[in-house]
Amino acid sequence: MTLTIALSKGRIFEETLPLLAAAGIVPAEAPESSRKLIIGTNRPDVQLVIVRASDVPTYVQYGAADLGIAGRDVLIEHGGAGLYQPLDLNIAKCKMMVAVENGFDYEAAVKHGARLKVATKYPQIAREHFAAKGVHVDIIKLYGSMELAPLVGLADAIVDLVSTGGTLKANNLVAVEHIIDISSRLVVNQAALKLKYDTIQPVLDAFAGAVQP
Ligand code: PRT
Ligand code: MG
């Protein structure tokens, strides 16, 4: 039985390589240089499928992939239906933050009770955060480049991922609130875990043993 693992290109793929290696899995090519969406490995019974980061939970939920690796941000927005999440892999780490343009009086805006316009790719996380604070918000859904929104008057604030802080700084934005710490997790299709237990469980064990603190 073939084991299919869903991964996204870029940081998650790069940071997953050592975990795959610990499970004796070496990709036949790098997704950055190949246009193939299905990538074989040194193991004839294991293949990788390369999908958008936010599509990983969907592939695993429907069993098109048995395993996947996705950020906590993506998993919260997806909702997690049908997914077993046995392991935090402690990779692709960053923080979900609220940020505003330098000079914008966030505290006053929040206290004032006026509706705050918030642009984000993460409406679920943003809505929950502001609801817990009792702040009324209008969420504006974007698919990228959130940093632009406050600069052109589309929003008062953004909810976005921050790692080095370089992108905020380059765009004259400052982080004003930390919402949650983010890292990537292993997700497993629940039916596949039962059907392919003998193949999947050793991979889970190898990943668990290779996670860096
Ligand atoms: O690009 P695409 O739409 O396909 O999806 P994606 O952007 O979600 O994929 P990718 O590969 O960029 O991110 C995959 C996962 O990596 C995310 O779901 C997060 O869990 C995690 N991750 C870790 C990050 C970052 N760090 C990160 N810094 N995802 C995005 N960023 C972006 C952030 O949105 C902002 O634009 O990097 C910018 C900030 O970086 P700094 O270093 O300037 O602060
Ligand atoms: Mg990206």
Side-chain angles (χ1 to χ4, degrees):
M1 264 193 289
T2 301
L3 185 69
T4 300
I5 305 176
L7 294 174
S8 54
K9 287 190 204 187
R11 69 190 102 219
I12 288 186
F13 187 87
E14 297 304 324
E15 295 189 44
T16 298
L17 285 173
L19 300 169
L20 290 172
I25 300 166
V26 180
E29 9 186 359
E32 304 311 331
S33 56
S34 165
R35 288 175 185 272
K36 282 192 192 164
L37 298 176
I38 301 180
I39 294 185
T41 71
N42 61 318
R43 280 177 53 172
D45 63 332
V46 180
Q47 65 179 9
L48 310 178
V49 293
I50 306 301
V51 303
R52 284 293 287 265
S54 44
D55 289 335
V56 166
T58 307
Y59 277 81
V60 177
Q61 172 187 8
Y62 291 103
D66 303 305
L67 308 182
I69 295 176
R72 185 179 177 197
D73 49 321
V74 164
L75 290 168
I76 294 171
E77 293 299 324
H78 171 271
L83 302 177
Y84 171 50
Q85 301 184 23
L87 200 56
D88 185 341
L89 300 170
N90 213 23
I91 60 170
K93 287 166 74 171
C94 55
K95 293 176 189 305
M96 188 68 74
M97 311 276 281
V98 181
V100 299
E101 194 172 12
N102 204 356
F104 179 82
D105 192 345
Y106 179 69
E107 292 308 320
V110 163
K111 251 191 230 134
H112 201 250
R115 295 183 78 87
L116 197 70
K117 281 190 289 172
V118 178
T120 187
K121 191 175 161 183
Y122 311 98
Q124 190 64 33
I125 294 170
R127 221 178 283 287
E128 261 178 50
H129 173 71
F130 289 106
K133 284 170 61 80
V135 174
H136 295 288
V137 289
D138 289 317
I139 303 284
I140 300 165
K141 164 81 187 185
L142 292 178
Y143 293 87
S145 303
M146 270 84 78
E147 294 85 2
L148 179 63
L151 309 181
V152 294
L154 179 63
D156 303 310
I158 62 171
V159 166
D160 194 9
L161 298 172
V162 179
S163 49
T164 62
T167 306
L168 292 183
K169 203 167 176 214
N171 291 291
N172 195 33
L173 301 176
V174 287
V176 288
E177 254 167 16
H178 170 248
I179 303 179
I180 39 171
D181 287 330
I182 301 285
S183 55
S184 285
R185 294 169 179 207
L186 185 64
V187 293
V188 184
N189 177 276
Q190 282 166 348
L193 182 60
K194 289 190 192 121
L195 283 166
K196 303 184 183 179
Y197 183 85
D198 293 345
T199 313
I200 292 178
Q201 192 56 47
V203 173
L204 300 194
D205 292 341
F207 276 28
V211 169
Q212 300 294 313

